[in-house]
């Protein structure tokens, strides 16, 4: 770690008259955790030797008899936290073993770094760029609970189409129709100013924003896109992105969720991920093959498609994810690629003819994922495709809904449930173990946690709609 980078952080703290320092890290599932110290505790030694904490209290990490861990902050992640008082410097860190200082094998950020290093070691490329488009909902009310004898959720939004007849003293109409939320101007778009504020705060915190807009669904669905970056940095920004979205919504008396499918009968929230490989400052995905792609790009796509069912376990890691990934509802469930078909798992954007803009867009993932794990897994799948020259076959440029049943049956699909995805990951994870990027321990722990805490937990509980279907049997 360079002394110049550390000095830059300490100079920033002095310039902004920082009083406290907040150390953030991502847990195994993909949620930021933090603790805070007075400013005088931030010394050069902290950047070298870290600060200790109890790892046994973090989901999926250590047992109580081996709980000591340290966080070593990354000075490149420094920003002034816009939501905390007194003036707070925020630093994201990597998790290490206290005695050996080795990277903790289950640290998601460390896995992302290992994936970047493995890419360089192959000689294929030196940089993998990732640009996620995370969708989310802004709600006015979100209530849910579960007990032995009851279970419910209730969501509400001032712009929800279900409220067009509600007495709102007065109801001013302009409710967003189902599946008609893409780009309407205010007053139909009730959240323009809130999204603008989110966008401005993101820029202040170092996230370069490209655009923001209302998304397709009623009830406050939104999207804010930021500029692509290297794998780890892009994942860092996604965690900061979520933090800002949730806190700005909260400030306005609203709540934001990145849950993939909170509303029945309308679009869910996906996270299309744009990817490209570069070497020595030159793009590697531009060429004279289909849609202006290089042969390398096609092999990269081949690896993604081959391993998508396993990737689902990391890129679509919740039971709710598969309420969105449902065949027949415009979801990107078809394991094919296309320059135009948005129901294909991989799309090649054609907005620009510049070689630098040539990329592949993986449309399956959703924003419930841990981006460090998901992005690392996507890169490893793509590398596997390149190394083994896995060609993706013919593109799917036809309208999927016009295909004859016999032709449609030949197009494989993503997993239909988290349980299926975990089985796929069990059976197909050798590509993730290359270069010690992922470990068998990480894969097994992920599968065990997801099965016990999510798949089985949901399987054991009655669903509210089951009462509508079966109570009178």
């Amino acid at each position: 770690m360079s002394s110049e980078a550390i000095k830059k952080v300490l100079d920033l703290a002095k310039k902004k008259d920082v009083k406290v320092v907040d150390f953030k890290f991502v847990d195994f599932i993909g949620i930021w955790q933090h603790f805070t110290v007075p400013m005088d505790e931030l010394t050069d030694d902290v950047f070298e030797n870290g600060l200790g904490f109890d790892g046994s209290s973090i989901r999926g990490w250590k047992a109580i008899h081996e709980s000591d861990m340290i966080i070593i902050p990354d000075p490149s992640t420094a920003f002034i936290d816009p939501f905390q008082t007194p003036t707070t410097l925020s630093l994201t860190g990597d998790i290490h073993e206290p005695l050996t200082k080795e990277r903790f094998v289950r640290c998601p950020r460390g896995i992302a770094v290992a994936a970047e290093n493995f890419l360089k070691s192959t000689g294929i490329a030196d940089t993998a760029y990732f640009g996620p488009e995370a969708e989310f909902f802004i709600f006015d009310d979100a209530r849910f609970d579960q007990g032995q004898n009851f279970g419910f959720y209730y969501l509400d939004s001032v712009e929800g189409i279900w409220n067009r007849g509600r007495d709102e003293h007065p109801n001013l109409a302009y409710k967003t129709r189902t599946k008609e939320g893409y780009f309407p101007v205010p007053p139909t778009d009730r959240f323009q100013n809130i999204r603008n504020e989110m966008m401005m705060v993101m820029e202040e915190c170092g996230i370069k924003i490209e655009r923001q807009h209302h998304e397709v669904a009623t009830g406050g669905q939104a999207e804010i896109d930021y500029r692509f970056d290297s794998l780890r940095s892009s994942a860092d920004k996604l965690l900061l992105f979520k933090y800002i979205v949730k806190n700005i919504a909260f400030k306005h008396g609203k709540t934001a969720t990145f849950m993939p499918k909170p509303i029945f009968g309308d679009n869910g929230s996906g996270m299309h991920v744009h990817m490209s490989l570069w070497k020595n400052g030159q793009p590697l995905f531009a060429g004279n093959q289909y849609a202006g792609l290089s042969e390398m790009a096609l092999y990269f796509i081949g690896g993604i498609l081959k391993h998508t069912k396993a990737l689902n376990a990391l890129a679509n890691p919740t039971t709710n994810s598969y309420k969105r990934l449902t065949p027949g509802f415009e979801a990107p469930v078809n394991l094919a690629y296309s320059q135009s078909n948005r129901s294909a798992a991989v799309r090649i954007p054609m907005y620009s003819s510049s070689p630098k803009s040539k990329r592949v867009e993986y449309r399956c993932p959703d924003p419930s994922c841990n981006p460090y794990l998901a992005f690392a897994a996507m890169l490893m799948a793509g590398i596997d495709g390149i190394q083994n020259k896995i060609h993706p076959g013919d593109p799917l440029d036809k309208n999927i809904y016009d295909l004859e049943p016999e032709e449609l049956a030949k197009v494989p699909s993503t997993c239909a449930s988290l349980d299926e995805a975990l089985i796929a990951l069990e059976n197909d994870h050798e590509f993730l173990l290359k270069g010690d990027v992922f470990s068998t321990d990480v894969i097994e722990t992920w599968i065990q946690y997801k099965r016990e805490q999510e798949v089985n937990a949901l399987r054991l509980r009655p669903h509210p709609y089951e009462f509508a279907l079966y109570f009178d049997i």
Side-chain angles (χ1 to χ4, degrees):
M1 194 175 297
S2 73
S3 58
E4 182 180 344
I6 296 172
K7 182 179 183 300
K8 187 176 179 180
V9 171
L10 297 176
D11 288 346
L12 172 66
K14 184 176 180 180
K15 178 181 178 182
K16 298 293 185 179
D17 193 24
V18 168
K19 302 299 184 185
V20 296
V21 183
D22 200 49
F23 292 91
K24 296 181 175 70
F25 62 93
V26 65
D27 68 11
F28 200 46
I29 305 307
I31 297 176
W32 253 358
Q33 310 293 327
H34 79 130
F35 64 88
T36 310
V37 303
M39 178 59 207
D40 59 14
E41 291 292 313
L42 184 66
T43 63
D44 288 2
D45 183 69
V46 170
F47 289 98
E48 181 68 28
N49 295 308
L51 292 173
F53 68 97
D54 175 11
S56 67
S57 297
I58 305 300
R59 295 179 295 179
W61 278 10
K62 287 211 170 185
I64 196 167
H65 66 280
E66 52 177 7
S67 59
D68 287 350
M69 312 190 79
I70 59 171
I71 179 173
I72 298 180
D74 180 347
S76 71
T77 64
F79 70 93
I80 301 301
D81 194 312
F83 306 108
Q84 306 302 320
T85 56
T87 306
T88 302
L89 175 71
S90 175
L91 289 165
T92 300
D94 296 305
I95 309 304
H96 294 257
E97 300 286 359
L99 297 179
T100 64
K101 296 296 195 311
E102 291 181 354
R103 170 174 68 89
F104 175 46
V105 69
R106 297 181 194 171
C107 172
R109 197 167 187 267
I111 291 172
V113 173
E116 290 183 310
N117 290 338
F118 177 68
L119 173 66
K120 293 175 185 176
S121 75
T122 65
I124 292 171
D126 53 39
T127 307
Y129 285 119
F130 282 73
E133 300 174 341
E135 298 168 346
F136 57 94
F137 279 87
I138 302 170
F139 292 124
D140 295 293
D141 193 19
R143 292 180 280 128
F144 46 89
D145 205 354
Q146 180 78 50
Q148 187 174 19
N149 65 322
F150 71 93
F152 79 95
Y153 70 89
Y154 180 84
L155 304 173
D156 203 7
S157 169
V158 66
E159 68 156 48
I161 190 62
W162 54 82
N163 284 325
R164 62 186 174 187
R166 183 173 65 176
D167 188 356
E168 296 179 342
H169 313 288
N171 187 325
L172 299 178
Y174 293 106
K175 309 298 184 186
T176 304
R177 297 182 185 91
T178 300
K179 296 184 180 293
E180 293 187 23
Y182 199 65
F183 286 16
V185 297
T188 301
D189 180 358
R190 300 290 187 100
F191 301 104
Q192 169 72 1
N193 292 339
I194 292 178
R195 293 195 310 273
N196 274 341
E197 185 174 346
M198 291 172 178
M199 181 172 65
M200 292 297 99
V201 172
M202 288 175 188
E203 291 262 348
E204 292 170 8
C205 292
I207 302 177
K208 177 62 178 175
I209 301 301
E210 294 184 334
R211 70 180 64 185
Q212 64 87 353
H213 59 86
H214 200 291
E215 255 300 337
V216 173
T218 187
Q221 192 181 32
E223 181 178 315
I224 302 175
D225 300 332
Y226 62 85
R227 184 70 55 85
F228 64 87
D229 206 337
S230 61
L231 190 158
R232 182 193 61 182
S233 294
S234 189
D236 283 342
K237 288 177 179 178
L238 185 58
L239 269 293
L240 176 54
F241 175 100
K242 286 186 172 185
Y243 181 69
I244 292 170
V245 164
K246 291 175 182 178
N247 277 282
I248 295 292
F250 200 75
K251 170 187 169 183
H252 287 272
K254 300 181 185 297
T255 187
T257 180
F258 290 85
M259 186 175 174
K261 187 70 172 180
I263 295 178
F264 166 68
D266 211 335
N267 285 36
S269 292
M271 188 178 73
H272 306 152
V273 180
H274 297 253
M275 297 176 283
S276 63
L277 298 183
W278 290 56
K279 189 173 184 178
N280 299 325
Q282 297 300 313
L284 302 179
F285 276 8
N288 58 5
Q289 304 287 313
Y290 173 80
L293 293 174
S294 66
E295 188 175 55
M296 177 187 290
L298 287 175
Y299 290 150
F300 188 95
I301 292 171
I304 291 288
L305 294 178
K306 177 183 177 180
H307 297 297
T308 279
K309 286 181 180 288
L311 292 178
N312 284 156
L314 294 163
N316 307 92
T318 68
T319 58
N320 185 254
S321 297
Y322 300 88
K323 302 294 193 292
R324 167 183 169 260
L325 283 184
T326 304
F329 293 92
E330 300 181 14
V333 300
N334 301 294
L335 298 187
Y337 69 105
S338 173
Q339 66 180 5
S340 57
N341 195 333
R342 280 177 159 78
S343 67
V346 175
R347 190 177 76 92
I348 297 88
M350 303 298 290
Y351 300 124
S352 171
S353 59
S354 169
K356 292 184 176 181
S357 69
K358 189 56 63 177
R359 60 198 187 274
V360 300
E361 178 189 3
Y362 189 38
R363 297 175 63 82
C364 300
D366 67 59
S368 68
C369 71
N370 183 328
Y372 300 98
L373 301 182
F375 294 173
M378 293 175 209
L379 177 59
M380 296 301 287
I383 291 174
D384 187 62
I386 294 169
Q387 289 180 326
N388 291 293
K389 297 184 178 181
I390 302 171
H391 197 279
D394 295 330
L396 181 66
D397 286 335
K398 301 177 182 178
N399 186 334
I400 194 74
Y401 304 107
D402 291 339
L403 295 181
E404 295 296 329
E406 297 79 11
E407 190 174 2
L408 182 60
K410 297 177 183 178
V411 181
S413 297
T414 58
C415 291
S417 69
L418 179 57
D419 195 27
E420 182 185 341
L422 295 174
I423 293 171
L425 182 60
E426 275 182 323
N427 296 328
D428 177 25
H429 61 260
E430 289 299 320
F431 71 99
L432 298 174
L433 304 180
K434 293 179 182 178
D436 296 324
V437 175
F438 286 79
S439 66
T440 301
D441 171 78
V442 166
I443 300 297
E444 291 177 349
T445 302
W446 182 264
I447 292 171
Q448 180 183 12
Y449 180 90
K450 287 288 175 177
R451 279 211 177 113
E452 292 179 357
Q453 301 299 321
E454 299 179 31
V455 173
N456 290 341
L458 191 69
R459 184 178 282 153
L460 291 169
R461 287 165 170 81
H463 187 285
Y465 192 60
E466 289 179 313
F467 288 84
L469 292 173
Y470 308 128
F471 192 79
D472 61 344
I473 287 177

